[in-house]
Amino acid sequence: MKELKGTVIPMITPFTDNDTVDVEDVRREVDYLIDAGMDALYPCGTTGEMMYLTAEERKLVAAVTVEQAAGRVPVFVHVGAWSQASTIELAQHAVAIGADGIGVVTPVFFKLSDKALFEFYKAVSDSVPADFPIYLYGIPQCAVNDISPELADKLAKACPNIIGIKYSLGDFTKLQKFTQVNGGRFSVLAGPDHMMAAFMAIGGKGVVSGNAMCVPEHYVALAKAIEEKDSELVKTLQVRTNIFNEILCRNNNIAVYKAVMKDKGIIKSLAMRRPMEALTPEEAEAMMAELKGLDYDKVLV
């Protein structure tokens, strides 16, 4: 089964000014990210405004992404939804369109026991082929429910196609514990990308980074420096990347990503799916001026 590694991009969902998915921009986004050296694509996740898309819109984005990627990089579609039935519907659609795997966020809003979470993930696992890879997705700061290393271990042993986790809470100790799940055979990716260098040094497979779509050159260089064990260069690149990340995550980060991608000519509109809030043109211009003042698109070492 394929695994995620390196820099995985949780894609934005481009909209037209009429609030429809802009398929042309999705295709351009896919090509841009692959050409920039990103290692895998992850459409329809949090950064893709997942819970505000209809099921048909999510299927459309997933299918276009898989088709446009054309096997150049792995595409793992996020399928977690408001209900178990909807999650399974989207999971089976991902299989049908030829995705390489799926990510599944915990059920959201209502607090559930570990028993309920286990049964949910087991049902999703059973709904797709036994060799179709699944990543758990933990983001308790948004979803309410959390995944413990103990629950992940139980799931990995009961469901061979549950092979890893994307974990988005900045708990380094917990991330390290996830790397020991299933005898150390669990693929773990961090959401907080300021931890990229440190996390990969202790066995992490990589990061799922929205920031990386804005400054991909830095993530490519950082990953290379990590692989080559150039500790001084790793330190330099991680610090510089973190400076950009502070700007990109300062406020309403998904809207900020769209502003950068519009400035690059990848997408045409700043539009967000309501009630999500877009940047105003003036806010986008000020933010871009700050990034350009720091030569954000150049790797300076």
Side-chain angles (χ1 to χ4, degrees):
M1 286 185 279
K2 286 187 180 179
E3 291 188 358
L4 291 171
K5 62 181 180 179
T7 305
V8 179
I9 300 295
M11 294 170 57
I12 56 169
T13 301
F15 297 109
T16 69
D17 289 331
N18 293 323
D19 199 34
T20 60
V21 172
D22 192 321
V23 170
E24 180 183 277
D25 282 2
V26 174
R27 293 189 184 280
R28 192 179 296 111
E29 179 186 2
V30 169
D31 287 341
Y32 158 75
L33 293 171
I34 294 173
D35 291 345
M38 301 295 91
D39 295 298
L41 304 179
Y42 187 74
C44 301
T46 302
T47 305
E49 302 170 70
M50 57 187 184
M51 293 303 188
Y52 293 149
L53 302 182
T54 68
E56 292 310 308
E57 286 175 325
R58 292 180 67 166
K59 290 177 181 179
L60 173 63
V61 172
V64 170
T65 301
V66 170
E67 180 184 49
Q68 191 69 20
R72 290 177 288 169
V73 298
V75 176
F76 276 61
V77 178
H78 176 259
V79 301
W82 282 106
S83 70
Q84 180 171 302
S86 296
T87 300
I88 288 173
E89 177 186 349
L90 293 171
Q92 292 175 338
H93 177 262
V95 174
I97 63 173
D100 296 289
I102 55 176
V104 187
V105 75
T106 58
V108 302
F109 194 83
F110 295 106
K111 183 67 176 173
L112 301 176
S113 68
D114 275 6
K115 178 178 180 293
L117 292 173
F118 177 89
E119 290 173 352
F120 165 76
Y121 279 113
K122 181 70 165 60
V124 176
S125 170
D126 289 344
S127 75
V128 297
D131 61 351
F132 188 70
I134 298 171
Y135 275 73
L136 310 177
Y137 175 20
I139 183 168
Q141 64 269 41
C142 294
V144 176
N145 291 295
D146 199 1
I147 302 170
S148 68
E150 293 76 20
L151 175 59
D153 190 66
K154 184 177 178 182
L155 283 165
K157 288 173 178 173
C159 310
N161 57 351
I162 294 181
I163 63 168
I165 187 170
K166 178 217 170 178
Y167 195 68
S168 291
L169 191 65
D171 185 334
F172 194 82
T173 300
K174 195 167 185 179
L175 279 165
Q176 187 172 26
K177 287 180 179 179
F178 279 125
T179 67
Q180 303 306 307
V181 164
N182 201 19
R185 296 184 296 276
F186 208 54
S187 171
V188 186
L189 294 103
D193 45 10
H194 64 277
M195 296 180 177
M196 181 173 177
F199 181 51
M200 292 182 74
I202 56 93
K205 296 293 185 180
V207 293
V208 182
S209 170
N211 295 321
M213 79 176 75
C214 301
V215 288
E217 306 89 349
H218 299 275
Y219 284 80
V220 170
L222 179 54
K224 185 173 184 287
I226 293 169
E227 182 180 359
E228 295 177 352
K229 296 181 171 56
D230 186 338
S231 59
E232 285 302 312
L233 184 55
V234 166
K235 181 172 68 174
T236 298
L237 291 169
Q238 184 72 80
V239 168
R240 182 159 163 77
T241 301
N242 290 350
I243 291 170
F244 299 134
N245 290 350
E246 287 178 5
I247 297 170
L248 294 167
C249 292
R250 186 179 295 154
N251 184 42
N252 201 3
N253 65 315
I254 302 170
V256 167
Y257 301 156
K258 288 192 175 183
V260 176
M261 296 287 273
K262 183 175 186 293
D263 189 78
K264 288 174 177 281
I266 310 303
I267 66 173
K268 297 186 286 292
S269 174
L270 297 172
M272 301 280 286
R273 175 57 54 83
R274 289 293 182 180
M276 298 287 282
E277 185 178 6
L279 297 189
T280 66
E282 294 76 19
E283 289 169 336
E285 183 179 356
M287 187 271 301
M288 289 307 307
E290 185 175 5
L291 285 174
K292 290 174 181 178
L294 295 170
D295 289 325
Y296 85 104
D297 55 350
K298 295 182 178 64
V299 179
L300 306 175
V301 295

